[in-house]
Amino acid sequence: MTGNFDPGQKDHLVSALVRDEPRVLTRITSLFGRRGYNIRSLSVGSTEHPGLSRMTFVVTGDRGVVEQAMRQLEKLHDVVKIIDHSLEKFVDRELVLVKVAITPESRVEVRQIAEDFRARIVDVGRHALTFEVTGDEGKITAFIEQMRSFGIIETMRTGRVALTRGSNADIPSHVYHEGETETLRPVVEAAEPRETKAGGVPNLF
Amino acid sequence: MTQTELTGAKALWATLSAHGITTVFGYPGGAIMPVYDALTFYPEVRHVLARHEQGAIHAAEGWAKATGEIGVCLATSGPGATNLVTGLADAMLDSVPILAITGNVARHLMGTDAFQEADITGITLPITKHNYVVRDVEELPRVIAEAIRIARSGRPGPVLVDIPKDIQLAPYHGEITAPHARPEIPAPKPEAIEKARELLQDAKKPVIMVGGGSLDAAAEITALARAWDIPVITTLMGLGSFPSSDPLWLGMPGMHGSVAANRAISEADVLLGIGLRFDDRVTGRVNGFAPNASIIHVDLDAAEIGKIVRTHVPVRGDARVAAQMLAEGAQKLDLPEWREKIAEWKTRTQEPDHWGAGYAVKAVVDRLRPDDILSSDVGQHQMLAAQLARFERPRRWINSGGLGTMGFGFPAAIGAGMAEPGVRSIVIAGDGGFQMTAQELATLKKYDVRNVKICIINNSFLGMVRQWQELFHEKRYSEVYLGDSNPDFLKLADAYGVPAYRADCAEELPEAIDAWLNDPKSSLLEIVVPNEHGVFPMVPSGASLSEMIETEPPRPTPGIEKNTAAEEAKNA
Ligand SMILES: Cc1ncc(C[n+]2csc(CCOP(=O)(O)OP(=O)(O)O)c2C)c(N)n1
């Protein structure tokens, strides 16, 4: 890949609105895999529109690599819209379950730290407490670091989810693609943005 | 028959018919039998029975490449479907609009490893533009209509629709879906065009390079080049997008490109690329490609822009519109020095003057008429044909560029010949590749196709591999000798009822070519050539275009003797 882009390796937080059809996930992940792009985290869920799902993934690479990945993605018929949040103001959250080993001595201290992080206890065992923490990546990483000294038994993270800030519905200045408005099932109108885009589509073209 | 009596299978044919599809290439089997049964009710659609599904899909590709319209092929589940894989990958890389329809086991059996079940949508996921499994009969016509639209729109490509057997049999109650309008291709941004124009205006050493995405913009590109008076290079896929007879034409770039094309790229200060994807066979070592040039890249596929080479002015949009916009207000550039250089490079071409594959290929392509379709297989003969044939218009040159698929040429020539029964469809193949799909001789016979002219350049070797072994593996000819086991091609043709001719030396060639071309039926010509013949110029793989080897290096045994290498290989 030789692109005329800045070279810095960086995490890019990308959302894709995709049609809810079989193999969508395979199509997208196989595209990434074949071209050698690594997905650091991936979360998928349904949206307010029936027939449309939203995926959020974190890809690492320079801007050129990520742009190329996005442009390959936008060609997929299942992909209705792609947004690179890294170029925007956005809110993002991740949920993690952390099982921390406790002893009678450490118990109180562990609970205290968890309170500071507003972590909720979701399971209480004789030798372990399981916490649920929601927050941005920094907060979660900090929580895990704090708990490390007590002994982390296991963790499970959901992967990040993100939305553009503000009252618009996903109208960042850098929407890569808006797909055609026709599908097999009448879910399509839903894929249309509800307000006009600010700033217009791809800067480059 | 009323609409309410339709089945899925009948709805399929009715939909294809509504989309103007007249010919389908295919091969039957258990899981697609309801579709074949329903075919008997739709005499307006011609089904061409190939002898292998690979033959069917390459024929569909030949049809599509010659006409620019969608090619359709049909196969059963499991082995039938997997036999389409090579053709799908080929169509994907060469952006050929293909609709592939496969049968599958009934829905309740899917996923159970049932007899002849293969997960064809899973298998073909990375080599199709999109694919479907039809799970509801009422959706079938809409899926087909949408598949056709996806295959043809934007950058064309293959789309596969997998239809379970019970869906084919199920009653269908809906309407038959009519064709979709093709979505409009975005117009290039005026700012981008303006920037490109500025670069061209100030250029001292400009060159235009056009690829397979330019085939339908040939007229506009020709006008553009002439308006600015800028030389034009056509890639393997773009041959015919600019008339070879025009003095501005420099030939083909890349590994076996012309001296003029490769030198011009290496020295250019502005390179205007239109509808091409900078394949590594074209660029050579990427960071040595057009090292001094500002690159303007026109492409409708945004993902192609900046994918391989750095791009200074990206122009996204239709090649026709972009070329038109760029031609507006153009003034001929006054560049005497650049012209002089180019004129000198253009003299550095080698006309094959002694007996060999190049000589034979030239003798054949010199006989091409402007409307003739020339299809080629893959190997030395392909590169020789690309170097030596002259094309005045697009869609007359059909070959497997991106995937380099041996076995492609002959069935593609059948498809093209069926699409345009009024023109000659000539195929040049090697003795190796021809045998990969030789059974399609039966298709010629069955349909009494009269305009397909097969030419086999028989060098007793997998020539292109042998050339690499000669150059890069110290002549260790590992597993590339065919001469001891090739069939008698004349007898093979005769077995299928196809008339055949042979030339063994230069002297016999003119007469043999005449007899072959004048035969009113489809016919075969075998040209037996000396075997150690290389294709030059050549840019060694991994080198940059400026490191091109212009002429064939001298051989230890001077003069190419007939069958020397064959004898050596036999005695080894
Ligand atoms: C299906 C397939 N298998 C293998 C190759 C690798 N390959 C490229 S050229 C070539 C030799 C072709 O030999 P032949 O058909 O006799 O043509 P020639 O080069 O001698 O003109 C081979 C084996 C290929 N391109 N396609």
Side-chain angles (χ1 to χ4, degrees):
Chain A
M1 173 74 214
T2 54
N4 48 345
F5 304 105
D6 58 329
Q9 294 279 315
K10 190 174 150 201
D11 277 357
H12 287 252
L13 191 62
V14 175
S15 279
L17 278 176
V18 300
R19 296 194 168 96
D20 220 351
E21 279 171 31
R23 288 200 207 275
V24 169
L25 203 57
T26 323
R27 267 206 187 87
I28 288 176
T29 51
S30 92
L31 188 148
F32 274 86
R34 185 159 54 98
R35 294 183 188 263
Y37 309 134
N38 196 18
I39 303 176
R40 280 223 309 131
S41 96
L42 173 68
S43 39
V44 193
S46 55
T47 66
E48 70 282 15
H49 304 301
L52 281 188
S53 296
R54 184 191 286 272
M55 308 176 52
T56 306
F57 38 88
V58 179
V59 217
T60 314
D62 66 41
R63 173 110 185 265
V65 167
V66 176
E67 280 219 17
Q68 174 60 208
M70 297 305 98
R71 294 201 190 291
Q72 294 294 344
L73 271 188
E74 79 179 20
K75 292 201 288 181
L76 297 180
H77 179 68
D78 311 300
V79 174
V80 175
K81 187 149 115 175
I82 300 187
I83 304 127
D84 184 348
H85 292 290
S86 318
L87 305 171
E88 295 303 321
K89 287 205 167 70
F90 60 93
V91 282
D92 75 311
R93 285 293 177 271
E94 189 171 5
L95 182 135
V96 65
L97 295 176
V98 186
K99 194 182 288 175
V100 183
I102 46 163
T103 59
E105 298 76 49
S106 69
R107 187 181 194 101
V108 175
E109 197 185 345
V110 167
R111 294 184 80 126
Q112 187 55 51
I113 294 171
E115 231 164 77
D116 295 346
F117 277 88
R118 291 203 207 143
R120 282 186 350 134
I121 296 175
V122 289
D123 184 48
V124 180
R126 265 163 69 83
H127 304 294
L129 289 175
T130 304
F131 297 100
E132 171 201 309
V133 194
T134 311
D136 63 19
E137 223 186 7
K139 176 180 170 187
I140 287 170
T141 308
F143 179 74
I144 290 173
E145 282 314 310
Q146 287 286 315
M147 289 300 165
R148 210 177 281 285
S149 57
F150 300 101
I152 292 175
I153 299 166
E154 55 188 354
T155 63
M156 175 63 213
R157 302 172 75 143
T158 56
R160 290 160 79 180
V161 294
L163 281 181
T164 311
R165 276 190 191 277
S167 53
N168 284 343
D170 275 332
I171 309 172
S173 63
H174 206 81
V175 176
Y176 280 86
H177 169 69
E178 290 190 32
E180 287 143 23
T181 50
E182 180 210 9
T183 47
L184 301 177
R185 284 172 220 114
V187 295
V188 223
E189 292 81 0
E192 292 234 273
R194 285 174 301 195
E195 295 168 42
T196 35
K197 281 190 296 318
V201 236
N203 48 10
L204 264 181
F205 301 100
Chain B
M1 181 188 298
T2 65
Q3 294 264 321
T4 46
E5 289 167 67
L6 290 180
T7 58
K10 284 180 178 169
L12 168 67
W13 289 115
T15 307
L16 292 176
S17 185
H19 281 75
I21 283 154
T22 57
T23 304
V24 170
F25 301 88
Y27 208 93
I32 191 85
M33 279 181 63
V35 168
Y36 274 84
D37 184 49
L39 172 65
T40 56
F41 294 89
Y42 293 85
E44 67 271 27
V45 187
R46 165 174 64 164
H47 177 274
V48 176
L49 178 67
R51 282 288 159 104
H52 187 292
E53 289 84 356
Q54 185 179 2
I57 189 165
H58 290 330
E61 286 186 274
W63 176 288
K65 286 191 177 195
T67 60
E69 290 305 322
I70 192 162
V72 183
C73 62
L74 193 57
T76 189
S77 67
T82 55
N83 275 348
L84 294 178
V85 164
T86 304
L88 290 169
D90 191 90
M92 187 71 179
L93 279 185
D94 282 354
S95 307
V96 190
I98 292 291
L99 171 65
I101 297 160
T102 49
N104 210 331
V105 299
R107 273 173 304 169
H108 72 275
L109 292 171
M110 285 178 94
T112 65
D113 306 323
F115 177 64
Q116 293 196 327
E117 189 198 355
D119 175 14
I120 196 62
T121 40
I123 290 167
T124 60
L125 201 99
I127 50 166
T128 48
K129 218 178 147 184
H130 193 63
N131 63 23
Y132 299 88
V133 181
V134 180
R135 291 180 194 275
D136 175 353
V137 67
E138 298 303 329
E139 287 199 340
L140 178 57
R142 291 189 69 183
V143 171
I144 295 290
E146 190 173 274
I148 291 173
R149 198 216 39 207
I150 293 173
R152 293 156 77 208
S153 60
R155 181 175 173 186
V159 178
L160 181 137
V161 180
D162 194 33
I163 312 176
K165 192 169 179 177
D166 57 323
I167 298 276
Q168 300 167 35
L169 291 165
Y172 175 74
H173 305 287
E175 299 287 303
I176 293 306
T177 311
H180 290 282
R182 273 187 229 207
E184 268 183 40
I185 302 167
K189 281 207 165 172
E191 305 93 271
I193 296 287
E194 203 37 57
K195 271 199 173 154
R197 211 197 314 262
E198 278 165 23
L199 275 180
L200 290 176
Q201 251 148 14
D202 296 337
K204 296 283 169 282
K205 299 172 176 180
V207 65
I208 297 173
M209 191 160 136
V210 300
S214 298
L215 294 178
D216 294 326
E220 290 79 3
I221 287 170
T222 305
L224 161 75
R226 288 177 180 161
W228 288 93
D229 211 11
I230 298 176
V232 179
I233 294 166
T234 44
T235 71
L236 180 74
M237 299 307 293
L239 288 173
S241 292
F242 187 78
S244 307
S245 60
D246 194 299
L248 287 173
W249 187 61
L250 303 188
M252 176 174 83
M255 181 171 276
H256 293 292
S258 68
V259 175
N262 283 349
R263 296 276 178 240
I265 291 168
S266 299
E267 283 207 19
D269 63 352
V270 175
L271 187 149
L272 166 59
I274 308 177
L276 80 171
R277 58 191 183 86
F278 296 101
D279 182 88
D280 52 277
R281 282 287 193 271
V282 162
T283 60
R285 187 162 51 78
V286 174
N287 54 12
F289 177 79
N292 311 313
S294 299
I295 291 177
I296 307 160
H297 189 180
V298 179
D299 209 299
L300 58 72
D301 183 349
E304 288 307 315
I305 299 181
K307 186 182 84 174
I308 307 289
V309 299
R310 73 219 178 288
T311 306
H312 302 84
V313 181
V315 182
R316 188 196 179 179
D318 186 346
R320 292 171 65 171
V321 181
Q324 260 166 1
M325 289 170 83
L326 281 169
E328 267 163 40
Q331 292 214 324
K332 285 192 188 225
L333 299 169
D334 180 28
L335 306 165
E337 280 171 42
W338 186 229
R339 283 185 210 301
E340 233 169 76
K341 277 198 166 175
I342 282 174
E344 195 273 317
W345 290 327
K346 280 180 82 168
T347 62
R348 285 172 28 200
T349 52
Q350 272 188 303
E351 291 286 287
D353 52 4
H354 57 264
W355 181 235
Y359 186 100
V361 168
K362 178 143 175 42
V364 171
V365 299
D366 277 354
R367 296 288 297 268
L368 286 178
R369 302 188 293 229
D371 274 351
D372 286 347
I373 294 165
L374 180 65
S375 142
S376 102
D377 207 69
V378 169
Q380 290 184 316
H381 61 279
Q382 174 192 29
M383 292 299 121
L384 290 166
Q387 290 174 346
L388 297 166
R390 298 290 173 258
F391 299 97
E392 294 302 307
R393 45 170 291 211
R395 301 206 176 281
R396 299 296 89 179
W397 164 243
I398 292 177
N399 77 128
S400 167
L403 199 66
T405 307
M406 283 171 76
F408 170 88
F410 174 39
I414 296 178
M418 286 184 142
E420 296 193 34
V423 308
R424 292 191 305 203
S425 179
I426 296 172
V427 51
I428 292 193
D431 47 328
F434 179 71
Q435 291 182 67
M436 288 206 172
T437 45
Q439 71 280 8
E440 300 307 330
L441 284 165
T443 310
L444 277 187
K445 182 178 177 189
K446 182 176 173 73
Y447 297 92
D448 198 16
V449 183
R450 289 169 174 271
N451 58 339
V452 176
K453 297 286 172 188
I454 307 151
C455 171
I456 299 174
I457 306 290
N458 184 354
N459 56 8
S460 300
F461 271 104
L462 297 173
M464 187 56 97
V465 181
R466 190 207 51 70
Q467 175 169 347
W468 283 50
Q469 290 174 340
E470 178 179 339
L471 292 172
F472 312 118
H473 298 275
E474 295 167 332
K475 260 186 148 183
R476 287 185 295 276
Y477 292 161
S478 173
E479 300 295 323
V480 287
Y481 183 59
L482 304 176
D484 53 0
S485 47
N486 269 339
D488 179 331
F489 287 107
L490 268 58
K491 280 192 187 158
L492 180 71
D494 187 50
Y496 285 100
V498 173
Y501 305 86
R502 175 188 285 141
D504 278 301
C505 57
E507 293 68 39
E508 290 175 12
L509 195 56
E511 204 182 313
I513 290 180
D514 277 340
W516 167 60
L517 288 179
N518 292 335
D519 197 301
K521 295 183 72 176
S522 282
S523 55
L524 181 148
L525 170 66
E526 178 191 10
I527 309 180
V528 182
V529 295
N531 34 48
E532 277 196 270
H533 188 98
V535 184
F536 290 89
M538 178 175 191
V539 177
S541 110
S544 72
L545 296 187
S546 56
E547 296 167 79
M548 172 174 50
I549 307 167
E550 282 191 31
T551 51
E552 183 139 20
R555 291 171 184 285
T557 37
I560 303 166
E561 310 246 326
K562 201 179 156 196
N563 283 334
T564 331
E567 290 309 319
E568 270 174 31
K570 248 188 267 183
N571 299 334

